[in-house]
């Protein structure tokens, strides 16, 4: 599409947008009746209007049934995690028995690392991206220490080339080849939180499979944002959060994927709890743990029903919209924003560090400022934009296809100009 830098053009795109009605399903923050330009869905998605209804269903059952809500509620709490498998499996490109909704992101990452980081001899290293999200890095460090090893010896970092900000796939593959006899695990975020780069996960997976190296993904910035094909890529495990693009509320429930080739391997080490035990024998109160088949066997505690009710409200919206349609609009929204920013960045105090190839990014564009970045950020905040500042000099913005408009993107571009 040939873009134009005009309000009328942006409004015409909104008029033709097949997903335009979905914005009405969300609460958009406003001040004195004027809606903010909300470009922070990569940190916390907006609240779906259906959340209150979904929560009320569970609150009513709790109020009217008490403990009987576990078996006689409208959605019996004993089986609550099952209500999400179909939707989540579709979002991540997996089989229903390969996914389960539970816990929070870094809790789940630690649970996955217990099972899938199995250092043996010289094969004890973990390859990560140098600019990984700190929580993931902390988890990896501590898991290495749990094995009595030194993180300084066991963490291998994939770094961008000098003068570059993002990673090249061939350099990641080369790093795997270089350390192929030492790597126990390759652990990446599918989409980098800082640059917005969407990695070529299929190519990384192939490099790992060639040398029988376990490959895990953090999908925090990917799920609900880009098309994910964990089964096709043959990833070993993955985990994610739901409060960003999935719009399921602050601290919203997480989920995991465990590849079928591992999911029914009951000899694989794991942490255990009552809720992961075989449902057929759970209430016999037997001493010894017998995991449920599939990813559900990694559950430890019972479902956080109220948090998951909010999650359900958002997933129903995604089921109707479809990730392919959302991705199509996302590429157009982000492409339009890039077009506007490229017109203004020459001679200005910012430049884009997110890949220009739409296949290598999702909703997010990261704007690197040069000099007075915080001043620029404060300016757009005062003008009614909710975005995200990341030290030392980056403004992250994410026009989300479910609720952002092309007119908002145009107005944001004008503010930066």
């Amino acid at each position: 599409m040939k873009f134009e830098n005009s309000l009328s053009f942006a409004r015409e795109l909104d008029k033709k947008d097949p997903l335009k009605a979905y914005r009405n399903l969300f609460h958009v923050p406003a001040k004195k009746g004027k809606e903010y330009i909300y470009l922070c869905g990569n940190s916390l998605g907006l609240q779906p209007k259906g959340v209150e209804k979904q929560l009320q269903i569970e609150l009513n059952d709790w109020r009217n049934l008490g403990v009987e809500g576990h078996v006689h509620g409208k959605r019996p709490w004993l089986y609550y995690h099952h209500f999400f498998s179909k939707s989540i499996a579709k979002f991540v490109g997996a089989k229903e028995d390969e996914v389960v909704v539970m816990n929070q992101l870094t809790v789940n990452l630690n649970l996955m690392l217990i099972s899938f980081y199995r250092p043996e001899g010289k094969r004890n290293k973990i390859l990560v991206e140098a600019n990984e999200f700190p929580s993931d890095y902390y988890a990896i460090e501590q898991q290495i220490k749990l094995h009595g090893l030194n993180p300084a010896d066991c963490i291998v970092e994939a770094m961008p080339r000098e003068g570059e900000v993002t990673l090249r796939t061939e350099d990641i593959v080369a790093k795997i080849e270089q350390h192929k006899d030492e790597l126990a695990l390759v652990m990446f975020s599918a989409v980098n939180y800082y640059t917005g780069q969407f990695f070529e996960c299929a190519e990384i997976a192939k490099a790992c499979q060639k040398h029988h190296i376990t490959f895990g993904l953090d999908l925090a910035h990917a799920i609900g944002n880009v098309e994910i094909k964990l089964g096709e890529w043959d990833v070993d495990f993955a985990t994610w959060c739901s409060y960003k693009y999935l719009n399921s509320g602050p601290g919203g429930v997480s989920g995991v994927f465990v590849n079928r080739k591992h999911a029914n391997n009951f000899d694989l080490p794991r942490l255990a709890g009552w809720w992961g035990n075989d449902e057929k024998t759970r209430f016999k109160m037997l001493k010894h743990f017998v995991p449920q088949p599939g990813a559900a066997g990694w559950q430890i505690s019972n479902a956080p029903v109220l948090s998951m009710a909010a999650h359900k409200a958002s997933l129903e919206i995604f089921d109707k919209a479809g990730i392919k349609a959302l991705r199509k609009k996302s590429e157009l929204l982000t492409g339009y924003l890039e077009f506007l920013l490229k017109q203004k960045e020459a001679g200005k105090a910012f430049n884009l560090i997110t890949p220009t190839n739409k296949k290598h990014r999702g909703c997010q564009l990261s704007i690197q400022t040069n000099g007075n970045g915080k001043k620029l950020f404060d300016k757009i905040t005062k003008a009614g934009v909710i975005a995200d500042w990341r030290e030392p000099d980056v403004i992250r913005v994410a026009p989300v296809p479910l609720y952002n408009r092309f007119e908002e993107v145009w107005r944001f571009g004008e503010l930066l100009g």
Side-chain angles (χ1 to χ4, degrees):
M1 177 179 290
K2 186 177 180 181
F3 293 125
E4 296 177 16
N5 183 2
S6 70
L7 178 57
S8 60
F9 179 79
R11 285 176 171 171
E12 187 64 23
L13 288 177
D14 283 324
K15 184 179 179 181
K16 295 178 180 178
D17 176 18
L19 298 176
K20 60 186 176 185
Y22 282 89
R23 179 184 174 93
N24 297 326
L25 301 179
F26 291 86
H27 292 290
V28 180
K31 185 176 182 180
K32 295 182 179 179
K34 184 178 180 181
E35 291 180 341
Y36 286 99
I37 297 175
Y38 192 83
L39 297 175
C40 213
N42 54 333
S43 283
L44 181 67
L46 294 183
Q47 182 189 135
K49 292 179 180 177
V51 166
E52 290 183 46
K53 177 183 177 181
Q54 295 296 337
L55 281 172
Q56 198 61 54
I57 290 171
E58 309 310 338
L59 292 174
N60 288 344
D61 281 347
W62 183 16
R63 180 177 65 235
N64 297 325
L65 299 173
V67 71
E68 293 297 301
H70 282 89
V71 291
H72 296 304
K74 184 174 181 180
R75 296 188 292 249
W77 303 330
L78 277 179
Y79 314 105
Y80 215 78
H81 68 275
H82 292 296
F83 304 144
F84 301 85
S85 299
K86 185 175 181 180
S87 292
I88 290 296
K90 186 167 54 178
F91 296 151
V92 300
K95 305 293 185 184
E96 289 185 36
D97 63 345
E98 292 179 313
V99 297
V100 66
V101 171
M102 64 180 194
N103 305 321
Q104 273 71 44
L105 172 56
T106 310
V107 173
N108 284 337
L109 177 57
N110 274 291
L111 294 178
M112 293 294 98
L113 291 173
I114 287 286
S115 295
F116 293 103
Y117 174 55
R118 310 304 306 167
E120 292 184 10
K122 69 176 183 177
R123 189 167 263 205
N124 58 22
K125 291 180 168 52
I126 301 178
L127 174 64
V128 300
E129 48 177 318
N131 191 24
E132 182 56 274
F133 191 76
S135 191
D136 290 31
Y137 206 94
Y138 301 158
I140 288 167
E141 281 184 321
Q142 297 308 311
Q143 289 285 337
I144 290 169
K145 289 181 179 180
L146 283 176
H147 289 276
L149 300 170
N150 185 348
D153 297 328
C154 295
I155 294 178
V156 178
E157 295 185 350
M159 302 182 68
R161 296 183 184 186
E162 187 175 352
E164 298 182 358
V165 181
T166 55
L167 279 163
R168 300 191 188 191
T169 303
E170 60 264 33
D171 291 347
I172 299 171
V173 172
K175 186 69 74 171
I176 294 171
E177 289 289 336
Q178 179 186 351
H179 296 278
K180 61 182 184 294
D181 297 324
E182 302 170 305
L183 288 173
L185 174 66
V186 172
M187 183 72 218
F188 263 65
S189 292
V191 174
N192 179 274
Y193 83 99
Y194 189 75
T195 66
Q197 180 180 7
F198 180 22
F199 292 104
E200 293 185 286
C201 299
E203 296 305 311
I204 300 171
K206 286 178 185 177
C208 291
Q209 292 150 15
K210 178 180 176 182
H211 301 293
H212 307 288
I213 300 166
T214 302
F215 181 39
L217 283 173
D218 177 344
L219 303 176
H221 287 267
I223 192 166
N225 177 16
V226 295
E227 288 191 71
I228 302 166
K229 302 176 181 179
L230 297 179
E232 181 180 316
W233 300 338
D234 202 18
V235 173
D236 292 290
F237 71 91
T239 185
W240 55 87
C241 59
S242 67
Y243 49 83
K244 301 180 190 299
Y245 296 103
L246 288 187
N247 315 304
S248 299
V253 69
S254 173
V256 300
F257 160 86
V258 179
N259 193 303
R260 267 189 175 177
K261 63 187 178 185
H262 305 300
N264 295 324
N265 178 5
F266 297 154
D267 293 327
L268 194 65
R270 70 179 86 187
L271 297 185
W274 192 45
W275 222 253
N277 195 77
D278 185 0
E279 290 182 334
K280 298 183 184 68
T281 61
R282 180 187 290 156
F283 282 93
K284 291 185 177 181
M285 304 301 189
L286 302 176
K287 286 185 177 180
H288 301 295
F289 178 65
V290 179
Q292 289 183 45
W298 268 263
Q299 294 178 103
I300 291 179
S301 301
N302 55 335
V305 169
L306 298 182
S307 175
M308 289 170 76
H311 192 32
K312 192 173 191 307
S314 181
L315 294 186
E316 288 182 354
I317 296 173
F318 274 91
D319 283 335
K320 292 176 182 177
I323 191 63
K324 288 187 181 297
L326 290 169
R327 180 63 171 149
K328 184 177 181 180
K329 179 182 173 182
S330 174
E331 290 176 353
L332 197 59
L333 264 175
T334 311
Y336 188 45
L337 177 56
E338 180 188 20
F339 163 77
L340 295 170
L341 296 180
K342 288 290 186 182
Q343 285 197 330
K344 299 171 185 297
E345 73 176 2
K348 299 288 183 179
F350 62 84
N351 61 282
L352 295 178
I353 60 172
T354 305
T356 57
N357 187 332
K358 64 183 180 182
K359 293 181 180 179
H360 298 158
R361 68 184 185 203
C363 295
Q364 178 180 311
L365 289 184
S366 296
I367 304 166
Q368 187 172 45
T369 58
N370 304 307
N372 294 319
K374 196 61 169 62
K375 185 177 180 180
L376 178 61
F377 180 75
D378 291 341
K379 171 193 167 186
I380 64 172
T381 301
K382 187 176 180 180
V385 175
I386 297 179
D388 181 66
W389 171 258
R390 291 287 160 148
E391 295 291 347
D393 60 356
V394 167
I395 299 172
R396 302 188 311 162
V397 293
V400 174
L402 273 174
Y403 49 74
N404 281 124
R405 294 172 174 159
F406 290 92
E407 180 175 339
E408 293 177 305
V409 164
W410 181 84
R411 292 192 181 280
F412 174 74
E414 287 298 291
L415 287 171
L416 280 189

